[in-house]
Amino acid sequence: MYPVMVGLKERQVVRFALVGIGRAGTLHAECIVGNPDAELVYVCSRSRQTADTFAATYSARVARNIDEVLTDKSIDAILIASSTETHIEYMRAAVRAKKAILCEKPIGLDFAAVESFRNEIAETGAVIQIGFNRRFDPSHAAIHEAVRSGSIGQPEVVIVTSRDPSPESRDYHASSGGIFLDMTIHDFDMVRFILGEDPIEVYATGSVMVDPMFAEIGDLDTAMTVLKTASGALAHINNSRRASYGADRRIEAFGSAGMIQSLNMRPSLQERFNRGNTGLQVPFISDYTIRYREAFDRQLSAFISAVRGGGPLRVTFEDGRRAQILANHALNSLLSGRPEKVDYS
Amino acid sequence: MYPVMVGLKERQVVRFALVGIGRAGTLHAECIVGNPDAELVYVCSRSRQTADTFAATYSARVARNIDEVLTDKSIDAILIASSTETHIEYMRAAVRAKKAILCEKPIGLDFAAVESFRNEIAETGAVIQIGFNRRFDPSHAAIHEAVRSGSIGQPEVVIVTSRDPSPESRDYHASSGGIFLDMTIHDFDMVRFILGEDPIEVYATGSVMVDPMFAEIGDLDTAMTVLKTASGALAHINNSRRASYGADRRIEAFGSAGMIQSLNMRPSLQERFNRGNTGLQVPFISDYTIRYREAFDRQLSAFISAVRGGGPLRVTFEDGRRAQILANHALNSLLSGRPEKVDYS
Amino acid sequence: MYPVMVGLKERQVVRFALVGIGRAGTLHAECIVGNPDAELVYVCSRSRQTADTFAATYSARVARNIDEVLTDKSIDAILIASSTETHIEYMRAAVRAKKAILCEKPIGLDFAAVESFRNEIAETGAVIQIGFNRRFDPSHAAIHEAVRSGSIGQPEVVIVTSRDPSPESRDYHASSGGIFLDMTIHDFDMVRFILGEDPIEVYATGSVMVDPMFAEIGDLDTAMTVLKTASGALAHINNSRRASYGADRRIEAFGSAGMIQSLNMRPSLQERFNRGNTGLQVPFISDYTIRYREAFDRQLSAFISAVRGGGPLRVTFEDGRRAQILANHALNSLLSGRPEKVDYS
Amino acid sequence: MYPVMVGLKERQVVRFALVGIGRAGTLHAECIVGNPDAELVYVCSRSRQTADTFAATYSARVARNIDEVLTDKSIDAILIASSTETHIEYMRAAVRAKKAILCEKPIGLDFAAVESFRNEIAETGAVIQIGFNRRFDPSHAAIHEAVRSGSIGQPEVVIVTSRDPSPESRDYHASSGGIFLDMTIHDFDMVRFILGEDPIEVYATGSVMVDPMFAEIGDLDTAMTVLKTASGALAHINNSRRASYGADRRIEAFGSAGMIQSLNMRPSLQERFNRGNTGLQVPFISDYTIRYREAFDRQLSAFISAVRGGGPLRVTFEDGRRAQILANHALNSLLSGRPEKVDYS
């Protein structure tokens, strides 16, 4: 077993270093600070000034560099929320230092490097959880559980609707690896999570409808994907980089004996009735602060539980790799204009 | 047994005369014409000219007078939808002529006349169904059935919300007998139907909020009633003569093991999502043409079934009388400013 | 102009002959009988005995053969609801006899015959409406109208979920032309109707999940289709031949400024609350008798209006042909395993 | 102005002592600890042992007695969540010590003592906020705002449904002052808050349906109240001490131009469809930990803001007194069996 867990007593607080303090890093910091079983000790960032403010807000120390963190024996876990191209480098160092790792998706931009890193860690017992937070959303998890327990019979169809409120910056998208690797990767993971079966074929198409910027950087903002498994189950994902009414995250699983949906949040409980209309006020919802806030908390708790030896990792490196393989094949399908057989070997 | 039913074979068409051709009469005519087991033979109205057009529309004959109808042996049933003050007179004649009767609510404006008529028909076996169409609304009926079958446990509370889309004419209201006898009477019947128990106390209050006309004619347009049964169950009714968003008819039954609601119709299936809002378009609904259209059809079918001897009357003269007694006591409560014990004897 | 319309006065009743008395034919008969502007004069069927009973029910005559109908000058319109392989033959005869035609989808099984017939009627001014009844469903039509009027901005994505309650007989499916031509054709028409733009590429895949019978007859029971238009708009259709909870017909249109959905019917208005659960009772809904009953009525009214010269045909022969072209390309895509460019010429 | 506020700078942390550590006290402690503008310094309780554990959990000190707290100059505010009969005694001491006060409802059990205390503090500028947390519930607050801004026109009817998940202990109820003072008092406040007008007449009735224990202690578990204002607006409140499906808190405001409802929370986003049924899973909701959790947080923030001088008190002592007057009159009405005129003088 992985040695870092040996020393952790059942209810010992897990001491974290956070690498990366952008939007995802900020949310992770809030989760750590709000979790009685976790402590945010270090914050690492390339931008020293931002890091100072950030660390002050969360009562953490700014690490001079990653080595300071990794050589600190009191640190149990590294939460990696830095830009994607740095993930593998930081994970490699953390594995060597025998720290447990919670790393944001995707694993990396260069798939050859992902495969190479996979080989390195094959026999090390490294504790790496990939940041597919949506598995921890109570409603999405309920669909997974409903399918697993047979309550909709044999699963036949999964429909995932996943639309961002609005695009990020041009820089973000230009270095994101494209819509399939950056955004749809969550939905690929949802399909695998809910069907409990790996897609063997993927077809993807798309357009630039939201902002010509996406065409300029060789990306899409509107996409559709169709996947098929060995059992014949079919999955569809539709993505957009802009939804005027806020983050739209719905999943529907349809089977031989029923259907179950995970719907969007409705933070307001008011319903209004006027002449010719009735309305339910739905304030614009963001993913980070509202929709998946609880999922991020639960993701952290699950990681802490695994680090303490209290249970298996709920999202593995291999889960991260397979979703990324699907993203790669989706991109290939887009480029080739035809469906692609999926090779996970 | 009542002789009129002797001659009717199991699937024989029931031949109707319709008395009164206002809004309710029009809806009844449509129900008769659309019912394969019914035939509209005669139409009676004080206004000869209107009757001609009406009869032509529904391929019926205009009766010269009520006697022509009552002496026609081929007529099985009289549907009375004329103004309330004529109900008892027509019923009396129809009972003598041994016709089955479906009479609109309320039985009459003068309760002494109601009691007197009740005595007259006590031993005659007269077939009289009172027009509490809401008992035949599938959703309201489902609440009745849910309570009866114990699915909410012991019933403890009933809440009835009943709001008209808009007031009728001044003339209508001035001769209606007031809000409790004209409008709330339906809700009193719903409380009895759903609880399966008679209220023993009633308190009523109200205001004129919608139109000063109601004050001028000594009526209310906004009212609240509270009823209590011997078992301790409580019921509340709230009424208004105007709902800007259309007819509002909801019933909620709450018991020891659960709650069940009969909600408003939503004729539209569109849901719209825009920035900061989501709406379900609800075209303005009227009672007669939309909300209770199906209830009127089912009411007629139940009456036909009883006339043919296929089952008991689903709404009896006594049901009509008891709801009217509650309306009387509600008015007394309003006038006395205190709750009234209910006397059904 | 098409001569048959010349003689019809504005409010003249349209006299129909109905060809085919299966499930669709029965529904059409009910629509005609219930429509004050229509009269069902003749019924034609290969099965004389069934036709006698059918005609008696709807107070129509049984035609000895199609010629009797077509030579009867008093007949204005032929409603063709016979089996698909007979559609063109009956339409050809009806066009020659200068009768207006309302023909069920698809136009025919053999696309070469469709094209040939198209050439024949090119200059004749034939009045042919194809039976895409869903265009007349109030909620689907509202989506079309919302998109057309710009209320969701530029349309970008359409999602159609279309699931039958349960499979038909083996014979039905074996002669249906397959899922794309028999079932998805309605959804192809919905995509065209809502986007107001023709798809230029189609990709389809599918499985046999519901019943091995479909594999035996070379058909699918579970299918997914992705379509793309010249503007870049994307559409997805998912189909199943079995939905345990009843007919599932939903359409979602997503655009730059909002989203609109046409949801499933909820015929029940009851909501139940118990420990740990709240439920809305939804009796199993069938397409023919509940979901699209109103659409069939409105389809007939629109046809009558066009026959009387009161307006253009709302669904043209070309609409039927184009949806069929999409079905053909979907099948080709399934067989080739890759997306197909669509050729409408 | 009240001196305690003089020394508080705009963003200075407000230092709290919490008196009473039962269920409400626990929730208040969590709100204080989670609020960056508040600090929980002292905890006071008659039970020393419980207080030690409690204080340790929230990193606070246990006060030897209330005097230790009140003589500590560093303490800004006292949060009183002790049993009702102690409220006035603690408030009196806190007012003398010039501490700001947030006191749970009701003000006291003995109304004469309430009036006497009112006279004492009349000229002192005491800062006292009464714990009507529901005013801070976002959905209830939205109804208040909708009515205030005229979006439903002239308010005519308010319906409040308020049902507890289950009774408390016999001891709790025996010393609670009865259902109107303990439970309905929140709903009386809601009626005042939403209508923006004081009721001038109240009628109440009730039963023991849930547990005979209530009869034994001279209380009710099921109640209905009707209130009327000078403008003619009517309000209805229905209460039960047990709802099998969890806390049920709904408010409906109906006016001349529309209707608005504040509905129950639905913490689950799953919808399930099976043969003949569709259901939305609703885990049992409790008031304290789920339904009004956010309201308690916002209540505290509003209090902190007022203490810092940033705004007026959002719930005043007079609000607490007037709701209590309504509760008194409701009890009188129950006892007298007739409506009571309300005297606020």
Side-chain angles (χ1 to χ4, degrees):
Chain A
M1 274 304 295
Y2 194 53
V4 77
M5 294 190 294
V6 173
L8 272 176
K9 296 192 203 92
E10 178 103 350
R11 298 228 54 88
Q12 196 172 328
V13 166
V14 175
R15 291 167 55 85
F16 277 87
L18 172 64
V19 184
I21 56 174
R23 199 175 53 173
T26 302
L27 181 50
H28 284 300
E30 286 184 3
C31 291
I32 295 172
V33 165
N35 192 314
D37 299 327
E39 187 183 341
L40 183 58
V41 181
Y42 287 106
V43 160
C44 310
S45 168
R46 287 172 181 170
S47 156
R48 182 65 201 230
Q49 205 163 1
T50 320
D52 282 342
T53 314
F54 189 96
T57 305
Y58 297 104
S59 308
R61 258 176 282 165
V62 177
R64 282 186 312 275
N65 52 47
I66 189 78
D67 290 337
E68 182 185 357
V69 167
L70 295 175
T71 56
D72 183 336
K73 296 279 190 216
S74 82
I75 295 301
D76 304 307
I78 312 293
L79 203 161
I80 301 173
S82 51
S83 60
T84 302
E85 77 274 10
T86 67
H87 287 178
I88 291 178
E89 166 199 342
Y90 289 135
M91 279 199 279
R92 181 174 288 124
V95 167
R96 281 188 193 140
K98 302 207 177 304
K99 308 298 190 194
I101 298 164
L102 174 51
C103 181
E104 266 300 329
K105 43 58 56 179
I107 297 174
L109 291 180
D110 171 9
F111 191 67
V114 173
E115 292 298 75
S116 162
F117 180 59
R118 178 196 185 208
N119 291 335
E120 286 171 45
I121 61 171
E123 305 295 321
T124 63
V127 173
I128 303 178
Q129 179 173 318
I130 302 302
F132 287 140
N133 60 78
R134 296 182 193 178
R135 289 196 180 208
F136 301 94
D137 176 84
S139 297
H140 296 347
I143 300 221
H144 162 81
E145 186 52 32
V147 172
R148 205 197 55 74
S149 69
S151 77
I152 61 162
Q154 170 75 10
E156 296 168 355
V157 171
V158 169
I159 311 284
V160 180
T161 295
S162 180
R163 297 166 188 157
D164 284 350
S166 52
E168 305 296 323
S169 69
R170 184 189 184 101
D171 280 357
Y172 176 92
H173 290 294
S175 65
S176 72
I179 192 168
F180 298 118
L181 189 58
D182 180 60
M183 179 180 186
T184 322
I185 197 168
H186 277 300
D187 309 311
F188 290 132
D189 184 61
M190 283 293 100
V191 169
R192 294 184 66 243
F193 179 58
I194 283 162
L195 285 177
E197 192 188 6
D198 275 308
I200 59 169
E201 193 177 279
V202 56
Y203 169 73
T205 187
S207 305
V208 174
M209 303 289 280
V210 174
D211 190 329
M213 173 262 284
F214 287 98
E216 293 161 22
I217 63 174
D219 200 356
L220 305 167
D221 53 36
T222 307
M224 281 194 176
T225 309
V226 171
L227 303 109
K228 193 171 178 179
T229 71
S231 74
L234 304 177
H236 162 75
I237 301 165
N238 70 80
N239 295 116
S240 171
R241 285 293 193 181
R242 183 251 301 106
S244 62
Y245 49 91
D248 189 348
R249 312 290 182 199
R250 285 171 287 152
I251 302 179
E252 173 175 322
F254 168 82
S256 55
M259 195 246 287
I260 180 166
Q261 299 174 324
S262 174
L263 301 171
N264 278 317
M265 243 181 182
R266 302 205 138 167
S268 169
L269 308 172
Q270 309 154 51
E271 195 155 8
R272 289 163 190 259
F273 299 77
N274 293 109
R275 180 164 288 270
N277 196 61
T278 168
L280 197 64
Q281 241 199 6
V282 177
F284 194 86
I285 295 178
S286 84
D287 270 11
Y288 280 91
T289 54
I290 303 181
R291 179 63 176 99
Y292 290 127
R293 184 62 179 84
E294 185 173 358
F296 270 87
D297 277 330
R298 291 180 179 223
Q299 171 181 249
L300 184 70
S301 295
F303 175 69
I304 289 171
S305 176
V307 168
R308 284 166 163 175
L313 287 165
R314 298 260 299 277
V315 191
T316 64
F317 184 88
E318 184 64 14
D319 287 322
R321 178 181 168 264
R322 290 194 167 221
Q324 189 156 352
I325 287 173
L326 288 169
N328 292 346
H329 282 88
L331 183 60
N332 287 347
S333 169
L334 182 82
L335 298 174
S336 72
R338 65 179 69 175
E340 298 275 325
K341 299 287 174 201
V342 183
D343 179 6
Y344 294 102
S345 68
Chain B
M1 272 305 293
Y2 195 52
V4 79
M5 293 191 291
V6 174
L8 272 176
K9 295 191 206 95
E10 178 103 351
R11 300 229 52 89
Q12 195 172 328
V13 166
V14 174
R15 291 167 56 86
F16 277 87
L18 171 65
V19 183
I21 57 174
R23 200 174 53 173
T26 303
L27 181 49
H28 285 299
E30 286 183 4
C31 291
I32 295 172
V33 165
N35 192 315
D37 299 327
E39 187 182 342
L40 183 58
V41 181
Y42 287 106
V43 161
C44 311
S45 170
R46 287 172 180 169
S47 157
R48 180 67 200 228
Q49 202 162 4
T50 319
D52 282 342
T53 314
F54 190 96
T57 305
Y58 296 103
S59 308
R61 257 177 282 165
V62 177
R64 281 186 313 276
N65 51 49
I66 189 78
D67 290 336
E68 181 185 359
V69 167
L70 296 176
T71 55
D72 184 336
K73 298 278 190 216
S74 82
I75 294 302
D76 304 308
I78 312 293
L79 203 160
I80 302 173
S82 51
S83 60
T84 301
E85 79 273 10
T86 66
H87 287 179
I88 291 177
E89 166 199 342
Y90 289 136
M91 280 200 277
R92 181 174 289 123
V95 167
R96 280 187 195 141
K98 303 210 177 304
K99 307 300 190 192
I101 298 164
L102 174 51
C103 181
E104 265 301 329
K105 43 56 57 179
I107 296 174
L109 291 180
D110 172 7
F111 190 66
V114 173
E115 291 298 74
S116 162
F117 180 58
R118 179 197 184 207
N119 291 334
E120 286 171 45
I121 61 170
E123 304 296 320
T124 63
V127 174
I128 303 179
Q129 179 172 319
I130 302 301
F132 287 140
N133 61 78
R134 296 182 194 178
R135 290 197 179 207
F136 301 94
D137 176 83
S139 298
H140 296 346
I143 299 220
H144 161 82
E145 186 51 31
V147 172
R148 206 196 54 75
S149 69
S151 76
I152 62 162
Q154 170 76 8
E156 296 167 356
V157 172
V158 168
I159 310 285
V160 180
T161 295
S162 179
R163 298 168 186 155
D164 284 350
S166 53
E168 305 297 322
S169 69
R170 184 189 183 101
D171 280 357
Y172 176 92
H173 290 294
S175 64
S176 72
I179 192 169
F180 297 118
L181 189 58
D182 179 59
M183 180 182 187
T184 322
I185 198 168
H186 277 299
D187 309 311
F188 290 130
D189 185 60
M190 283 293 99
V191 169
R192 294 184 66 243
F193 179 58
I194 284 162
L195 285 177
E197 192 187 5
D198 275 307
I200 58 169
E201 193 177 280
V202 56
Y203 169 73
T205 187
S207 304
V208 174
M209 303 288 281
V210 173
D211 191 328
M213 173 262 282
F214 287 98
E216 293 161 22
I217 63 174
D219 200 357
L220 305 167
D221 53 36
T222 306
M224 280 196 177
T225 310
V226 170
L227 305 110
K228 193 172 176 176
T229 70
S231 74
L234 305 176
H236 163 75
I237 301 166
N238 70 81
N239 296 115
S240 172
R241 286 292 192 181
R242 182 250 300 107
S244 62
Y245 48 91
D248 189 348
R249 312 290 182 198
R250 285 170 287 152
I251 302 179
E252 173 175 322
F254 169 81
S256 55
M259 195 246 287
I260 180 166
Q261 300 173 323
S262 174
L263 302 171
N264 279 317
M265 243 181 180
R266 301 205 137 166
S268 168
L269 309 172
Q270 309 154 51
E271 196 156 7
R272 289 163 190 260
F273 299 78
N274 292 108
R275 178 164 291 269
N277 195 63
T278 169
L280 197 64
Q281 243 199 3
V282 177
F284 194 87
I285 295 178
S286 83
D287 270 11
Y288 280 92
T289 54
I290 303 180
R291 179 62 177 96
Y292 290 126
R293 185 62 179 86
E294 185 173 357
F296 270 87
D297 278 328
R298 290 179 180 225
Q299 172 182 248
L300 184 69
S301 295
F303 175 69
I304 288 171
S305 178
V307 168
R308 282 167 166 175
L313 286 166
R314 298 261 298 278
V315 192
T316 64
F317 184 87
E318 184 64 14
D319 287 322
R321 178 181 168 265
R322 291 194 166 222
Q324 190 155 351
I325 287 172
L326 288 169
N328 292 346
H329 282 88
L331 183 59
N332 288 347
S333 169
L334 182 83
L335 298 174
S336 72
R338 64 181 67 175
E340 299 274 327
K341 299 288 174 200
V342 184
D343 178 6
Y344 295 102
S345 66
Chain C
M1 274 304 295
Y2 193 53
V4 78
M5 292 190 295
V6 172
L8 273 176
K9 296 191 202 93
E10 179 106 348
R11 299 230 55 88
Q12 194 171 330
V13 166
V14 174
R15 292 167 55 85
F16 277 87
L18 171 65
V19 183
I21 57 175
R23 199 174 53 174
T26 303
L27 181 50
H28 284 300
E30 286 184 4
C31 292
I32 295 172
V33 165
N35 192 315
D37 299 326
E39 187 183 341
L40 183 58
V41 181
Y42 287 107
V43 162
C44 310
S45 169
R46 287 173 180 169
S47 157
R48 181 67 201 228
Q49 203 162 4
T50 320
D52 282 343
T53 314
F54 190 96
T57 305
Y58 297 104
S59 308
R61 257 176 283 166
V62 177
R64 279 187 315 274
N65 52 48
I66 189 78
D67 289 338
E68 181 184 358
V69 167
L70 296 176
T71 55
D72 183 336
K73 297 277 190 217
S74 81
I75 296 301
D76 304 306
I78 312 292
L79 202 162
I80 301 173
S82 52
S83 60
T84 302
E85 78 273 11
T86 66
H87 286 178
I88 292 178
E89 167 198 340
Y90 289 135
M91 281 199 279
R92 181 174 288 124
V95 167
R96 282 190 192 136
K98 301 208 180 302
K99 307 299 188 193
I101 299 165
L102 173 51
C103 181
E104 266 300 328
K105 42 59 56 179
I107 297 174
L109 292 179
D110 172 9
F111 191 66
V114 173
E115 291 298 74
S116 162
F117 180 59
R118 178 197 184 205
N119 291 334
E120 286 172 45
I121 61 172
E123 304 295 321
T124 63
V127 173
I128 303 179
Q129 179 173 320
I130 302 301
F132 287 139
N133 60 77
R134 296 181 194 179
R135 289 196 180 207
F136 301 94
D137 176 83
S139 298
H140 296 345
I143 298 220
H144 161 82
E145 185 52 30
V147 172
R148 204 197 56 73
S149 69
S151 76
I152 62 162
Q154 170 75 9
E156 296 167 356
V157 171
V158 169
I159 310 284
V160 180
T161 294
S162 180
R163 297 167 187 156
D164 284 350
S166 52
E168 305 296 323
S169 69
R170 185 189 182 101
D171 280 359
Y172 176 91
H173 290 295
S175 64
S176 72
I179 192 168
F180 297 118
L181 190 57
D182 179 60
M183 180 180 186
T184 322
I185 197 168
H186 277 299
D187 310 311
F188 290 131
D189 185 61
M190 283 293 98
V191 169
R192 294 184 66 244
F193 179 58
I194 284 163
L195 285 177
E197 190 187 8
D198 275 308
I200 58 168
E201 193 176 279
V202 56
Y203 169 74
T205 187
S207 305
V208 174
M209 303 289 280
V210 173
D211 191 330
M213 172 263 280
F214 287 98
E216 292 161 22
I217 63 174
D219 200 356
L220 305 167
D221 53 37
T222 307
M224 281 194 175
T225 309
V226 171
L227 303 109
K228 195 172 177 178
T229 70
S231 74
L234 304 176
H236 162 74
I237 301 166
N238 69 81
N239 296 116
S240 172
R241 285 292 193 181
R242 183 250 300 107
S244 62
Y245 49 92
D248 190 348
R249 313 289 183 200
R250 285 171 287 153
I251 302 179
E252 173 174 322
F254 169 82
S256 55
M259 196 244 290
I260 179 166
Q261 299 174 323
S262 173
L263 302 171
N264 278 318
M265 242 182 182
R266 301 203 140 169
S268 169
L269 308 172
Q270 309 154 50
E271 194 155 9
R272 290 163 189 258
F273 298 77
N274 294 106
R275 180 164 288 271
N277 195 63
T278 169
L280 198 65
Q281 242 199 2
V282 177
F284 193 89
I285 296 178
S286 84
D287 270 11
Y288 280 91
T289 55
I290 304 180
R291 179 62 175 97
Y292 290 127
R293 184 62 179 84
E294 185 173 357
F296 271 87
D297 277 329
R298 291 179 180 225
Q299 172 181 248
L300 183 70
S301 294
F303 175 69
I304 287 171
S305 177
V307 167
R308 283 168 164 174
L313 286 166
R314 298 261 298 277
V315 191
T316 63
F317 184 87
E318 185 63 13
D319 288 322
R321 178 183 168 264
R322 289 193 168 224
Q324 189 156 350
I325 287 172
L326 288 170
N328 292 345
H329 282 87
L331 183 59
N332 288 347
S333 169
L334 182 83
L335 298 174
S336 72
R338 66 180 66 175
E340 299 273 327
K341 299 287 174 202
V342 183
D343 179 7
Y344 294 101
S345 69
Chain D
M1 273 304 294
Y2 194 54
V4 79
M5 293 191 293
V6 173
L8 273 176
K9 297 193 202 91
E10 178 107 349
R11 299 227 55 87
Q12 195 172 328
V13 166
V14 174
R15 291 166 56 86
F16 277 88
L18 171 64
V19 183
I21 57 176
R23 200 173 53 175
T26 303
L27 182 49
H28 285 300
E30 286 184 4
C31 292
I32 296 173
V33 166
N35 192 315
D37 298 327
E39 187 182 342
L40 182 57
V41 181
Y42 288 106
V43 161
C44 309
S45 168
R46 289 172 179 171
S47 156
R48 180 67 200 228
Q49 204 164 1
T50 319
D52 282 343
T53 314
F54 190 97
T57 305
Y58 296 104
S59 308
R61 256 176 283 165
V62 177
R64 279 186 315 275
N65 50 49
I66 188 79
D67 289 338
E68 181 184 357
V69 167
L70 296 175
T71 55
D72 184 337
K73 298 278 190 217
S74 81
I75 295 301
D76 304 307
I78 313 291
L79 202 160
I80 301 174
S82 51
S83 59
T84 302
E85 77 274 10
T86 67
H87 287 178
I88 292 178
E89 166 198 342
Y90 289 135
M91 281 199 278
R92 180 174 289 123
V95 167
R96 282 187 194 141
K98 303 210 178 299
K99 307 301 188 192
I101 298 165
L102 174 50
C103 181
E104 266 300 327
K105 42 57 60 179
I107 295 174
L109 291 180
D110 172 9
F111 191 66
V114 173
E115 292 297 76
S116 164
F117 180 58
R118 180 195 185 208
N119 291 335
E120 287 172 43
I121 61 171
E123 304 297 319
T124 64
V127 173
I128 302 179
Q129 179 172 320
I130 302 301
F132 287 139
N133 60 77
R134 296 182 193 177
R135 290 196 179 207
F136 301 94
D137 176 84
S139 298
H140 297 345
I143 299 219
H144 161 82
E145 185 51 32
V147 172
R148 206 196 55 74
S149 69
S151 78
I152 62 162
Q154 170 76 7
E156 296 168 354
V157 172
V158 168
I159 311 285
V160 179
T161 295
S162 179
R163 297 167 187 156
D164 283 350
S166 52
E168 304 297 322
S169 68
R170 183 188 183 101
D171 281 357
Y172 176 91
H173 290 294
S175 64
S176 73
I179 192 168
F180 298 118
L181 189 58
D182 180 59
M183 181 181 184
T184 321
I185 197 168
H186 277 300
D187 309 311
F188 291 130
D189 185 60
M190 283 293 98
V191 168
R192 294 184 66 244
F193 180 57
I194 284 163
L195 285 178
E197 190 187 8
D198 274 308
I200 58 168
E201 192 177 279
V202 56
Y203 169 73
T205 188
S207 305
V208 175
M209 303 289 279
V210 173
D211 191 328
M213 174 262 283
F214 287 98
E216 292 160 22
I217 62 174
D219 199 357
L220 306 167
D221 53 37
T222 306
M224 282 195 174
T225 310
V226 170
L227 305 109
K228 194 171 178 178
T229 70
S231 74
L234 305 176
H236 162 75
I237 301 166
N238 69 82
N239 295 116
S240 172
R241 284 291 192 181
R242 183 250 300 108
S244 62
Y245 49 91
D248 189 348
R249 312 290 183 199
R250 285 170 286 152
I251 302 178
E252 173 174 321
F254 169 82
S256 55
M259 196 245 289
I260 179 166
Q261 300 174 324
S262 173
L263 302 171
N264 279 316
M265 242 181 181
R266 301 205 140 167
S268 169
L269 309 172
Q270 310 153 50
E271 195 156 9
R272 289 163 190 259
F273 299 77
N274 293 107
R275 178 164 292 269
N277 196 62
T278 169
L280 198 64
Q281 243 199 3
V282 177
F284 193 88
I285 295 179
S286 84
D287 271 10
Y288 281 91
T289 54
I290 303 180
R291 179 61 176 97
Y292 290 126
R293 184 63 179 84
E294 186 172 357
F296 271 88
D297 277 329
R298 292 180 180 225
Q299 172 182 246
L300 184 69
S301 295
F303 176 69
I304 288 171
S305 177
V307 168
R308 283 168 164 173
L313 286 166
R314 297 260 298 276
V315 190
T316 63
F317 184 87
E318 184 64 13
D319 288 321
R321 178 182 168 265
R322 291 194 167 223
Q324 190 156 351
I325 287 172
L326 288 169
N328 292 346
H329 282 87
L331 183 60
N332 289 347
S333 169
L334 182 81
L335 297 174
S336 72
R338 64 180 67 175
E340 299 274 327
K341 300 286 175 202
V342 183
D343 178 7
Y344 294 101
S345 67

